[in-house]
Amino acid sequence: MTDPSSHKEDWLSRMLSVAMQGPLPLMFLLVAFAGGFIALLVTPREEEPQIIVPLADVLVAAPGLGAEQVERQIATPLEKILYQIDGVEYVYSMSRPGQCVVTVRFFVGEDRVDSLVKIYNKLYSEKDRIPSAVRSWAVKPVEIDDVPIIVAVLWSDEPDRTGDHELRRLAEEIEHDLQSITNTNKILVRGGRPRRMRVELDPEALAARGTAPLDVAWAIQVSNRLLPAGAIQAQDREIVVEAGKFIQSADELRDLVINVVDGVPVYLKDVARVMDGPAEPTHYTWIGFGPADGRGKADAAFYPAVAISIAKKKGSNAVWVAGEIEDYFARLKQNIFPPEVHYRIIRNHGKTADDKINNLVSSLFAAVLTVTVFIGIFLGWRAALVVGLAVPVCYGVTLLLGLYAGYTINRVTLFALILALGLLVDDPITGVDNIERYMKTGRHPGRRGVILAMGEIRSALIMSTVAIIISFAPLYFITGMMGPYMAPMAFNVPVSVTVSTVVAFLVTPWLSYKLLK
C-alpha cells in the first residue's frame, strides 16, 4: 500500500495549507453570515415568483353597430391580424353593442416592451383596413403587477351623515396622496357615486322658448372651453391671451346663455334644472360584519363602502410597501377621518407573503437543526457543529447571489433551498467524517492529516457536485407558465451545492482542525 504522505503536493494541498494558516476561512465565514442576513432582510418578498406574461387589450369603439356586427366586422378580422404577430400565444375577444375588446397574450418570457411595439406596429400597418364605423381604438397593457397587494375599504356607520358620495370624494383625495408612497403602482377607487353636474331639461320650457335639446348640448360644449388666443408683446413682457373659460360651479352653468329668441337671451336655468351632487347610482358597494368580527353588534347591518386598491411596482418588496400603506391609513384614521368614517384592509398580500415566508424560514431553520442533531447523534457534537456552521454559510452566499441575480424571496425560492439542504450537507459531512477518521488513526496528526483526508475525497466531492448541477440545470430551460416556477430551483440548488463544495474545501477543514480532537 502506498503511503499517502509520500504523494507530491498538488494544488488542493497547497491551497488547504495556506488557508488553514491564514484568516481566509474565518473571513469567508463572517462575510457569508453577514451577507446572508442582509440578503434575507433586503431581498424583496412576495408570495409568487415574478412571471413575465406580456398581455394587452385592444379597446375598439364603433358606436352604432350591434354586437353581432361588431364581432363580424371588427373583432374577428382584428383577431386574425393580431395572431400574425410573432410570439403571440392566444388571441380572444369580447364584443358588445358599439365596442369590443380584443386580448392579445404572448408566450411567457417574451419581452414586454417589444411585444407592445409589435402590437402597435401591426395595428398601424393595417390602418387602411380599419372599417369606417370604428371611431377610435386604444392599446391597454395588462401586467401581473397590476394585481393589487392592498385593498382598503372605507365605510361609515352613519350613512345619513356620510354616505357613499362623501366616501367617494374622500377616497379620491386619498388616491392622489397614496401615489407618493414609494413603489406604489396602479391605484383605483371602486364604489360610491362620483360628483356630477346634472342637467335635467324641461320639455315645456324648451318648447315655450323655441329651443331644442341639441341647442343646449351645443351651448354647453362650446362654452366650457379655454383656448389660447395669441400673445401681446409690450415693455419686454409677454402677455398670454386666452379666450373662454371652464365652467367652475353650478351657478355659472345656470347663468349660461344657450339661445337668443327675438332678441331675448335664454338662460339654462330657464329651461332646465341644474344639480351639483352625486351621480345617478349604477351600482352599490356595501360592507357587512358578522358575529366573528367581534364588533359587539348582534345585527347583521350593512354599510355603504368605497374600496381603494393599490398595486406595487415590479421587483419591489411587497412587505415594505404594504407596511407603509398600513401606517398611512392609521395616520388618516387618527388625524383626518371623521369619527363616523372607518377603514378595513380586506386584502393584504404583503402580510400574507411575510407570514408564509417566515413560516418557510422557520421550517428551514428547523430542518437545519434536525440535520445537525442527527449528525451529532452518530458523529458527535463537534462534527455536528462543523456541519451546522457550514449550512448557514452555504445559504448565506446563495441568498446573496440570488439578490444580485434579481430573484425575490418567495415560497418557490425557499422550497428550492429546503430541497437543497439534503444535497449541500453531503460535502461537509463527507469531509468532516474523513478528517475525523484520519485524526483517530494518529498517523498524520495536525494539518497534514486534514490535508490528506481532503485530498482523498477530492474527486468524489467534485464529481457529485457536477452531477447535481447537470441534473438541475435543465430546469432553467423549461418554457411556458412553469418556467418561472422552475427557474429558482435551477438557480438555487446548483449554486448552493457549488458553494457547499467550496465550503467543504475551504471552511470545513479549518473548522475541523479547530474543533475536532
Side-chain angles (χ1 to χ4, degrees), residues 281-442:
T282 57
H283 58 276
Y284 295 95
T285 305
W286 304 85
I287 185 171
F289 303 93
D293 184 69
R295 299 179 64 248
K297 293 187 178 181
D299 59 332
F302 289 87
Y303 305 95
V306 173
I308 306 175
S309 61
I310 306 106
K312 72 176 185 67
K313 290 183 179 179
K314 179 182 178 182
S316 59
N317 196 321
V319 179
W320 293 355
V321 176
E324 291 186 29
I325 295 173
E326 286 184 288
D327 294 340
Y328 172 80
F329 275 99
R331 292 194 301 269
L332 286 180
K333 175 58 180 174
Q334 184 177 3
N335 303 322
I336 304 297
F337 286 172
E340 71 275 7
V341 175
H342 312 276
Y343 79 94
R344 177 67 58 90
I345 295 179
I346 61 174
R347 172 190 287 183
N348 190 341
H349 278 186
K351 185 178 184 303
T352 56
D354 196 39
D355 292 341
K356 292 177 181 178
I357 291 172
N358 287 336
N359 289 335
L360 286 173
V361 171
S362 301
S363 302
L364 185 60
F365 281 121
V368 173
L369 182 61
T370 303
V371 171
T372 305
V373 172
F374 181 79
I375 296 172
I377 294 174
F378 290 93
L379 299 181
W381 70 269
R382 295 177 182 271
L385 185 59
V386 173
V387 178
L389 289 174
V391 172
V393 170
C394 299
Y395 280 149
V397 176
T398 303
L399 289 172
L400 196 60
L401 294 177
L403 174 62
Y404 180 77
Y407 286 93
T408 60
I409 294 181
N410 50 72
R411 48 185 169 184
V412 178
T413 303
L414 292 176
F415 172 76
L417 293 178
I418 295 174
L419 174 65
L421 177 61
L423 302 174
L424 62 87
V425 295
D426 285 346
D427 291 351
I429 290 175
T430 305
V432 72
D433 182 61
N434 206 44
I435 291 172
E436 188 177 30
R437 183 177 66 85
Y438 260 76
M439 287 185 174
K440 286 182 178 179
T441 61

Side-chain angles (χ1 to χ4, degrees), residues 15 18 113 116 204 244 308 414 453 481 513:
M15 182 190 73
V18 173
V113 176
L116 293 177
E204 296 180 358
I308 306 175
L414 292 176
M481 193 65 71
Y513 177 72

Side-chain angles (χ1 to χ4, degrees), residues 165-166 169 193-200 247-254 268 273-280:
H165 172 59
E166 290 77 15
R169 298 288 300 275
R193 290 176 294 169
R195 179 190 176 191
R196 290 287 186 272
M197 284 191 187
R198 190 164 70 251
V199 178
E200 295 183 356
I247 298 174
Q248 301 291 332
S249 64
D251 292 334
E252 292 184 10
L253 190 58
R254 293 187 185 97
L268 183 60
R273 186 173 61 158
V274 179
M275 292 171 289
D276 184 1
E280 290 289 337

